[in-house]
Amino acid sequence: MFAEIDVAVIGAGVIGLATAHEIAQGKKQVFVFEKNRTFGLETSSRNSEVIHAGIYYPEDSLKARLCVEGKNLLYDLCDRHNIACRKCGKIIVAADENETQWVEELYKQGRKNGVNDLALLSAAEVRRLEPNIEARAGLLSPSSGILDSHNLLSFLHNQAREKGAEFVFGTEVIGIERASAKYKVHIRDRDGISGFVAHVVVNCAGLNSDSIAELAGIDIAKSGYRLHYCKGEYFSLDSKYRNLTSRLIYPVPEQAGHGIHWRQALDGRVLLGPSAYYVEAIDYSVDENHKRCFYTSAKRFLPFVELEDLAPESAGIRPKLQGPGEDFRDFVIAHEEKAGFPGLINLIGIESPGLTAALAVARFVGRMTS
Ligand SMILES: Cc1cc2nc3c(=O)[nH]c(=O)nc-3n(C[C@H](O)[C@H](O)[C@H](O)COP(=O)(O)OP(=O)(O)OC[C@H]3O[C@@H](n4cnc5c(N)ncnc54)[C@H](O)[C@@H]3O)c2cc1C
């Protein structure tokens, strides 16, 4: 006999944690199943910790809307609960004449997305704000910032538990079977294989979210849900580089990422990254041979950087729906009722700005389950 629960959330990254809290607030009984020994050990702790303003994404996309909404919710949450964050602002720099038109395009895009505090900067204005940076022009985004993602994750975990969500760590979801209006969820933990019945299943499984959808019976090729892994590495810089800028400094974006940027984390570490290249398997090692490429990218707008001061730091993997050379793909946040799976909610391709958008994503999913 299978035990019965209201809602099963699969995955305890920032999206699963925020979603579990949101649903538990509505007095539903929520269980979160996480294959790792605790929450937040995958993409949610392997990112830039940047609170994005919402500039880059097409108007009305979920990425644009949920980023702008999520940013405001996140600053408010950090403020009310002492979660470490700093609204330091950011400058996207045009390193040469060709890039100035991209900066202007980003300005227009950001305005369309409701980011109303952006300002275009001349070379002299960039120099006045950030004397150590070299640029032909720039785009100032005052509402961008950084946060301590570990602090946020543990806050969200505690908050969800306080509302009654139960966390089941070290438990991998290995099968999902439709059983009339419910789902039989099969799990594997250290005691073996068992299962339970859930009325609603919310798939927040990050890099495995396409496989989870497939387990449930969705044709992921037909639905366009197959994920591509896109790796991003970081290199750290020597401590002598601390406090050389007061803002985040970004180049104009690349096809698959926001570009290798300069960031001083809240703990003072100065970091360059992330790069963006597609990989077949999950491997978080940093290839030291990529050091020169980081150096060359950074040197275009950070003239003071020296090659010998870079050291491999960490890496993360983006769960991207957009394959190499393909066009923009939005987040998938879908109640699969029309596909014949009422009560199954898939969140797939939750790459950047997923950390920024997490609280807004959770509200969005909350409305689907109420
Ligand atoms: C290099 C990089 C830089 C980024 N920078 C930023 C940034 O600066 N700002 C920003 O807003 N966003 C950024 N992002 C995006 C952000 O990190 C992600 O959008 C966000 O962390 C996604 O959270 P998640 O909960 O969906 O995924 P995850 O954190 O990966 O959580 C998914 C969880 O599901 C669990 N799971 C998977 N399969 C199963 C299973 N079968 N059973 C049980 N559990 C399972 C996993 O163990 C994992 O804990 C960046 C991402 C990368 C890779």
Side-chain angles (χ1 to χ4, degrees):
M1 188 64 183
F2 283 72
E4 206 161 311
I5 63 173
D6 289 342
V7 182
V9 173
I10 307 171
V14 70
I15 299 293
L17 293 171
T19 300
H21 171 251
E22 187 69 31
I23 299 174
Q25 281 196 101
K27 307 273 180 273
K28 289 215 171 74
Q29 178 200 29
V30 182
F31 280 73
V32 183
F33 296 90
E34 168 55 57
K35 66 179 166 56
N36 293 328
R37 63 179 164 76
T38 188
F39 58 88
L41 295 183
E42 302 206 351
T43 312
S44 297
S45 54
R46 295 180 162 276
N47 56 59
S48 302
E49 301 185 296
V50 170
I51 302 179
H52 287 297
I55 300 169
Y56 301 98
Y57 325 103
E59 194 182 358
D60 286 334
S61 61
L62 285 176
K63 283 184 180 172
R65 281 165 41 211
L66 298 175
C67 183
V68 172
E69 183 188 340
K71 165 186 70 176
N72 295 328
L73 292 171
L74 196 51
Y75 278 126
D76 184 52
L77 186 85
C78 291
D79 201 35
R80 280 186 292 116
H81 298 283
N82 274 328
I83 299 166
C85 86
R86 194 167 65 230
K87 201 190 257 186
C88 54
K90 117 174 173 182
I91 299 181
I92 303 173
V93 294
D96 58 37
E97 210 50 58
N98 285 335
E99 290 181 358
T100 53
Q101 80 174 55
W102 289 111
V103 163
E104 285 163 13
E105 290 300 324
L106 288 170
Y107 172 77
K108 289 184 203 148
Q109 190 59 58
R111 302 267 307 181
K112 281 188 201 157
N113 293 348
V115 188
N116 296 323
D117 56 357
L118 299 173
L120 284 168
L121 304 173
S122 65
E125 285 166 329
V126 174
R127 207 168 312 116
R128 190 175 54 76
L129 291 174
E130 295 290 354
N132 292 313
I133 298 305
E134 213 157 81
R136 280 298 176 92
L139 176 62
L140 175 67
S141 166
S143 70
S144 303
I146 43 174
L147 91 156
D148 179 335
S149 56
H150 298 276
N151 213 192
L152 173 69
L153 290 164
S154 48
F155 175 81
L156 291 175
H157 175 232
N158 285 334
Q159 189 185 238
R161 283 177 55 201
E162 273 167 29
K163 292 286 173 209
E166 299 269 358
F167 285 81
V168 192
F169 293 124
T171 302
E172 185 180 4
V173 171
I174 54 167
I176 303 173
E177 241 181 282
R178 178 89 194 278
S180 62
K182 303 171 194 166
Y183 293 90
K184 267 188 200 163
V185 180
H186 301 270
I187 52 177
R188 179 170 46 218
D189 60 17
R190 61 179 183 188
D191 298 325
I193 292 175
S194 57
F196 59 91
V197 169
H199 291 249
V200 173
V201 174
V202 188
N203 169 11
C204 303
L207 292 164
N208 293 338
S209 52
D210 57 344
S211 316
I212 292 287
E214 194 165 39
L215 279 183
I218 299 269
D219 181 339
I220 60 168
K222 205 164 129 211
S223 313
Y225 286 179
R226 197 174 296 287
L227 286 173
H228 305 269
Y229 294 161
C230 184
K231 187 163 176 175
E233 295 171 315
Y234 295 91
F235 278 74
S236 61
L237 279 164
D238 190 278
S239 58
K240 71 182 183 205
Y241 290 91
R242 286 184 182 198
N243 305 323
L244 287 183
T245 73
S246 29
R247 296 170 185 79
L248 300 157
I249 310 293
Y250 275 61
V252 293
E254 311 160 347
Q255 193 255 348
H258 292 153
I260 292 178
H261 59 263
W262 159 280
R263 159 176 62 109
Q264 182 160 337
L266 289 174
D267 61 9
R269 278 173 312 139
V270 182
L271 298 156
L272 289 176
S275 50
Y277 60 99
Y278 287 89
V279 292
E280 289 302 318
I282 296 173
D283 163 16
Y284 294 119
S285 60
V286 178
D287 186 342
E288 188 141 16
N289 294 321
H290 294 163
K291 180 166 157 171
R292 183 163 284 282
C293 178
F294 272 71
Y295 166 74
T296 315
S297 295
K299 195 78 180 170
R300 296 180 72 228
F301 54 100
L302 305 162
F304 49 82
V305 168
E306 295 304 337
L307 181 66
E308 62 272 20
D309 295 331
L310 270 74
E313 215 265 348
S314 60
I317 311 242
R318 303 171 181 86
K320 272 183 113 58
L321 287 164
Q322 176 194 5
E326 290 175 8
D327 288 340
F328 172 85
R329 287 288 307 273
D330 206 357
F331 292 156
V332 166
I333 306 177
H335 185 178
E336 304 289 359
E337 213 166 3
K338 284 203 188 107
F341 298 91
L344 173 66
I345 297 171
N346 279 319
L347 289 90
I348 304 181
I350 312 296
E351 52 163 331
S352 194
L355 182 66
T356 309
L359 302 177
V361 168
R363 284 193 174 181
F364 194 88
V365 175
R367 287 193 291 273
M368 289 175 163
T369 59
S370 59

